[in-house]
Amino acid sequence: MASIKDVAAEAGVSVATVSRVLNDHPSVSAEARTRVLAAVDVLGYRRNAVARSLRTDQTHTFGLVISDVLNPYFTELARSVEEEARALGYSVIFGNADERPELQDHHIRNLLDRRIDGLLVSPTDGGSPLMLDAARAGTPMVFVDRWIPGVDVPVVQADGRAAVRDLVAHLYGLGHRRLAIIAGPAATTTGRERVEAFRAAIAEYGLTLPDDYIGQGDFQAESGRRATERFLDLPEPPEVVFAADNLMALGALDAIRARGMRVPEDIALAAFDDIPWFVHTDPPITAVAQPTGELGRAAVRALVARIEGRTPKSVTLPARLVVRRSCGEPSPEPSPEASTEASTESSTESSTEPSPAPRPSPAQRSKP
Amino acid sequence: MASIKDVAAEAGVSVATVSRVLNDHPSVSAEARTRVLAAVDVLGYRRNAVARSLRTDQTHTFGLVISDVLNPYFTELARSVEEEARALGYSVIFGNADERPELQDHHIRNLLDRRIDGLLVSPTDGGSPLMLDAARAGTPMVFVDRWIPGVDVPVVQADGRAAVRDLVAHLYGLGHRRLAIIAGPAATTTGRERVEAFRAAIAEYGLTLPDDYIGQGDFQAESGRRATERFLDLPEPPEVVFAADNLMALGALDAIRARGMRVPEDIALAAFDDIPWFVHTDPPITAVAQPTGELGRAAVRALVARIEGRTPKSVTLPARLVVRRSCGEPSPEPSPEASTEASTESSTESSTEPSPAPRPSPAQRSKP
DNA sequence: CCTCCTCGTGTAATCGATTCCACGAGGAGG
DNA sequence: CCTCCTCGTGGAATCGATTACACGAGGAGG
């Protein structure tokens, strides 16, 4: 493969001049420029990014380490991250941690060795020494979706509290009182926060969240199934199961079906994370939708800011409730809405208006 | 960040010795080795992959350019590719072409500039000059899923013909005679092959595939919706719609719902590509399942073989039919089976036995 | 005791770019 | 006409590794 030297020879100039042309440095004569460009064309020269990176100490690349590619939420996140990165002149190397800390470390190590300019991470756990060291050593880093407390790294995340409150209002309005949740791993912030948001919202209605109604999951479908089976084995099973992510909701649906029960007639189901498929499940699933695309874009902007030496702030965007049929009561959404939902990029993501859910005044109820 | 020079100084040896230790070259004394290792530890040294790649002219990385990350089929493919690559000591850089040739070119250019060791491509189109040049110039390349005729590049793909024949048998057995297909882009092999397989299978039953019953799609949900609407507007609409990929099936489902029609009572639906969500849609969708994981692994093995100088052969693995309820007749699969289906890695992928579908002897029927 | 090999090590070239510095030509200003 | 600046250019150092080659020490064999 032709190098800059070959181009220089072909054009009859020095390598310095070729390099200047390639980086359009101002002080190059028009004549030299055209000669170089011609030579580049003739030889089919392509700049060697490896050599360039070695010299300039920047790769114009960053790493994105996510917890599970098979989770459509992360897939969409990855997609929006790549898009925004491309728009800003960066490439992205993905690492799939598969919810396994050691795999996460493998990818971080690998990315660090490749001298990526920055790291976007959705941590699987509480933070390995490797990751913490990298952060402290000054590797530009931004957490997205999940984060690790006690580290000085900007966080880009969705705040689901209002939407979860809307969800509980919706459930309460439908007459449900025994509400259960399948939590994510306690090592993750989203694993903990979602339970807390749920518990707080429930408390506003004077209800409680007994330990029996907290299933321990790991954000994978299988754990959702197991947790749901345990719920159903309870002497007094819950009326509603709220899964803290979409895959566990899928597992829950499986478990419910396996018992020959129906949603929502026998038990209601809701999920955190909305995905296009939820429109088409039987029944369509009520979910808390994160502004995934915007999250990814904001994370990239923050990371690029850090790479360029600025100090970005953390970003929190609101999630919103999307009511469908899985909690009872026919969905109020007209059929055209189903069409809109299915499209990849939901254009109605701005969400100033939190939700169409019926909302009794909770403050009054929680007092007595 | 510490370099090999710093390590050499710390250990009191030359950079050559450090390098030897790091690459465990035999001729290094035990004493020097321990000193170097200690220095590496003290300084927290990490080898600079950029510099190493420049010198050795290999990156231990390859690129995977796929057509659409949001398509669960490709997501799973990407996942299995990364896994196998990691097992063989390679990293993978993904490029999402979003079914757009110019984006595909962007990624190929980018990957080539980064001097990846090889390229795994599922081409969006008939092949850009850039890609063809790269192939001819000797860049190790392997096509996966889709391919381009006339280029000497190994192909790893699934053969869906038997499964499609099984599908048609299943449909015929259920009494359906007017069968329509939503095709993928004619520029892709899968876009063409699936139509041909369908047409051939239909012919065995003495049926034909009129032009009106061939919808033109682009493997995206929206196109599936449009094609289905056109089918439904026909004076004599088809009894079955077969979508050539899972996203178009989703779009078709949308379009059918929007008219207030039901699957399978009013119209049957089947898809190419099976995905976990198809178990949970309303109704569960009958699909042709590719051995996605095995495809990804085989592709990686072939590419690594090429990189290492061997000349791998193309690989074709059989797809198989998975019957569910979307074509009529209650699914014969007992409910435990639904559980198995939902798991990420279907362990029953070997598929010696093609399908449980009823299969009249088609040869006799096609003769008269 | 001399010669030859082997072994461990260091010096320096190299990969393909970027960029500092020096240099010569030519124009402007005195 | 001389001086000084600007502009375009080239030479060479540099980034952090790998590796060919040289070299000295020490052991084996004659």
Side-chain angles (χ1 to χ4, degrees):
Chain A
M1 189 155 256
S3 81
I4 200 175
K5 227 181 215 159
D6 304 317
V7 176
E10 172 79 20
V13 297
S14 73
V15 292
T17 300
V18 175
S19 177
R20 288 196 189 95
V21 171
L22 261 30
N23 296 292
D24 41 33
H25 188 89
S27 74
V28 181
S29 68
E31 203 241 332
R33 167 165 284 114
T34 54
R35 284 234 304 284
V36 168
L37 259 21
V40 163
D41 219 49
V42 168
L43 299 172
Y45 169 79
R46 311 241 70 229
R47 170 207 252 121
N48 185 330
V50 175
R52 172 173 236 247
S53 292
L54 176 60
R55 185 61 237 254
T56 60
D57 201 34
Q58 36 175 315
T59 50
H60 273 277
T61 302
F62 56 77
L64 170 65
V65 180
I66 54 179
S67 327
D68 182 8
V69 253
L70 295 184
N71 185 325
Y73 166 73
F74 285 113
T75 310
E76 197 184 334
L77 188 69
R79 187 224 165 117
S80 65
V81 161
E82 196 274 336
E83 270 179 5
E84 184 75 5
R86 180 154 31 83
L88 296 176
Y90 284 81
S91 298
V92 183
I93 304 187
F94 300 95
N96 177 32
D98 217 4
E99 305 284 3
R100 284 153 50 193
E102 77 279 9
L103 240 189
Q104 173 177 275
D105 267 13
H106 165 90
H107 284 119
I108 291 182
R109 221 186 320 270
N110 182 21
L111 292 164
L112 255 24
D113 283 3
R114 299 187 120 78
R115 299 300 192 267
I116 42 99
D117 294 341
L119 211 45
L120 228 45
V121 187
S122 177
T124 291
D125 59 357
S128 62
L130 180 66
M131 180 157 57
L132 300 178
D133 284 355
R136 273 192 284 268
T139 309
M141 201 185 277
V142 167
F143 289 136
V144 57
D145 185 52
R146 309 178 187 175
W147 48 286
I148 295 173
V151 205
D152 185 24
V153 169
V155 181
V156 174
Q157 63 179 149
D159 179 357
R161 279 174 303 182
V164 168
R165 222 180 302 129
D166 290 342
L167 171 65
V168 171
H170 171 61
L171 296 170
Y172 194 95
L174 291 168
H176 299 305
R177 294 296 178 272
R178 298 197 308 278
L179 317 182
I181 185 170
I182 308 175
T188 63
T189 47
T190 48
R192 281 172 271 129
E193 285 170 352
R194 291 172 192 178
V195 175
E196 283 323 306
F198 194 57
R199 191 198 303 279
I202 282 180
E204 290 187 31
Y205 287 87
L207 302 175
T208 55
L209 185 60
D211 285 349
D212 276 355
Y213 281 10
I214 304 180
Q216 198 41 252
D218 60 5
F219 286 140
Q220 299 289 324
E222 182 51 33
S223 70
R225 188 193 332 266
R226 278 197 309 268
T228 304
E229 272 162 10
R230 219 161 300 133
F231 288 152
L232 297 177
D233 284 338
L234 253 28
E236 192 172 51
E239 295 159 331
V240 179
V241 174
F242 176 42
D245 91 333
N246 66 70
L247 294 180
M248 297 194 298
L250 204 64
L253 195 55
D254 268 1
I256 294 168
R257 289 262 178 75
R259 301 246 173 158
M261 299 171 73
R262 286 162 314 153
V263 177
E265 291 82 355
D266 301 319
I267 188 163
L269 180 64
F272 206 103
D273 288 347
D274 189 25
I275 55 173
W277 305 97
F278 277 176
V279 178
H280 301 282
T281 49
D282 175 25
I285 295 177
T286 293
V288 171
Q290 298 195 50
T292 318
E294 196 41 57
L295 240 32
R297 285 185 286 273
V300 169
R301 283 192 298 262
L303 184 58
V304 170
R306 267 248 36 202
I307 290 172
E308 292 175 352
R310 286 168 283 148
T311 55
K313 288 209 196 57
S314 291
V315 176
T316 303
L317 301 171
R320 69 182 217 285
L321 179 67
V322 177
V323 175
R324 298 204 182 85
R325 274 188 279 115
S326 65
C327 298
E329 171 180 288
S331 160
E333 61 187 357
S335 54
E337 220 265 303
S339 305
T340 312
E341 287 288 337
S343 74
T344 298
E345 192 68 71
S346 158
S347 55
T348 54
E349 224 164 36
S350 47
S351 97
T352 7
E353 220 254 302
S355 106
R359 177 103 174 265
S361 47
Q364 295 165 4
R365 277 210 165 82
S366 60
K367 286 253 170 69
Chain B
M1 189 155 256
S3 83
I4 200 174
K5 228 181 213 160
D6 304 317
V7 176
E10 172 80 19
V13 296
S14 73
V15 291
T17 301
V18 175
S19 178
R20 289 196 189 95
V21 171
L22 261 30
N23 296 293
D24 40 34
H25 188 90
S27 75
V28 181
S29 68
E31 201 241 331
R33 168 167 284 115
T34 54
R35 285 234 304 283
V36 167
L37 259 21
V40 164
D41 219 49
V42 168
L43 298 173
Y45 169 79
R46 309 241 73 228
R47 167 207 254 123
N48 186 330
V50 175
R52 172 173 236 247
S53 293
L54 175 61
R55 186 59 237 256
T56 61
D57 200 35
Q58 38 174 316
T59 50
H60 274 276
T61 301
F62 57 76
L64 169 65
V65 180
I66 55 180
S67 328
D68 181 8
V69 252
L70 295 184
N71 186 325
Y73 167 72
F74 285 114
T75 310
E76 199 185 333
L77 188 69
R79 187 223 165 116
S80 64
V81 162
E82 196 275 336
E83 270 179 5
E84 185 74 4
R86 180 152 33 81
L88 296 177
Y90 285 80
S91 298
V92 182
I93 304 187
F94 299 94
N96 177 32
D98 217 4
E99 304 285 2
R100 284 152 50 193
E102 78 280 8
L103 240 188
Q104 173 177 275
D105 267 12
H106 165 91
H107 285 118
I108 291 181
R109 219 186 321 269
N110 182 20
L111 292 164
L112 254 24
D113 284 3
R114 297 187 121 76
R115 298 301 192 266
I116 41 102
D117 294 341
L119 211 45
L120 228 45
V121 187
S122 176
T124 290
D125 59 358
S128 61
L130 181 66
M131 180 157 59
L132 300 177
D133 283 355
R136 273 191 284 267
T139 308
M141 201 185 278
V142 168
F143 289 136
V144 57
D145 184 51
R146 308 180 188 175
W147 48 286
I148 295 174
V151 205
D152 184 27
V153 169
V155 181
V156 175
Q157 63 179 149
D159 179 356
R161 278 173 302 181
V164 167
R165 220 180 303 130
D166 290 343
L167 171 65
V168 170
H170 171 62
L171 296 170
Y172 194 95
L174 290 169
H176 299 305
R177 294 295 178 271
R178 298 198 306 279
L179 317 181
I181 186 170
I182 308 176
T188 63
T189 46
T190 49
R192 279 172 273 130
E193 285 170 353
R194 291 172 191 177
V195 175
E196 284 322 306
F198 193 58
R199 191 199 304 278
I202 281 179
E204 290 187 32
Y205 288 87
L207 302 175
T208 55
L209 185 60
D211 285 349
D212 275 355
Y213 282 9
I214 304 180
Q216 198 40 254
D218 60 6
F219 286 140
Q220 300 288 323
E222 182 52 33
S223 72
R225 189 193 332 266
R226 277 196 309 268
T228 305
E229 273 162 9
R230 218 161 302 134
F231 288 152
L232 297 177
D233 284 338
L234 252 29
E236 191 171 53
E239 295 159 330
V240 180
V241 174
F242 175 43
D245 91 333
N246 65 70
L247 295 179
M248 296 193 299
L250 206 63
L253 196 54
D254 268 2
I256 294 168
R257 288 264 178 74
R259 301 247 174 157
M261 299 172 73
R262 284 162 318 152
V263 176
E265 292 81 355
D266 300 320
I267 188 164
L269 181 64
F272 207 104
D273 288 348
D274 189 26
I275 55 173
W277 305 96
F278 277 175
V279 178
H280 301 281
T281 48
D282 175 24
I285 295 177
T286 293
V288 172
Q290 298 195 50
T292 319
E294 198 40 57
L295 240 31
R297 286 185 286 273
V300 169
R301 283 192 297 263
L303 184 57
V304 170
R306 267 249 36 202
I307 290 172
E308 292 175 351
R310 286 167 283 148
T311 55
K313 288 209 197 57
S314 291
V315 176
T316 302
L317 301 171
R320 69 182 216 286
L321 179 67
V322 177
V323 175
R324 299 205 182 85
R325 273 189 277 114
S326 65
C327 297
E329 172 180 286
S331 161
E333 60 188 358
S335 53
E337 219 265 303
S339 306
T340 313
E341 287 288 337
S343 75
T344 298
E345 192 68 73
S346 157
S347 55
T348 54
E349 224 163 40
S350 46
S351 95
T352 8
E353 219 255 301
S355 107
R359 178 101 174 264
S361 47
Q364 295 165 5
R365 277 210 165 82
S366 61
K367 288 252 169 68

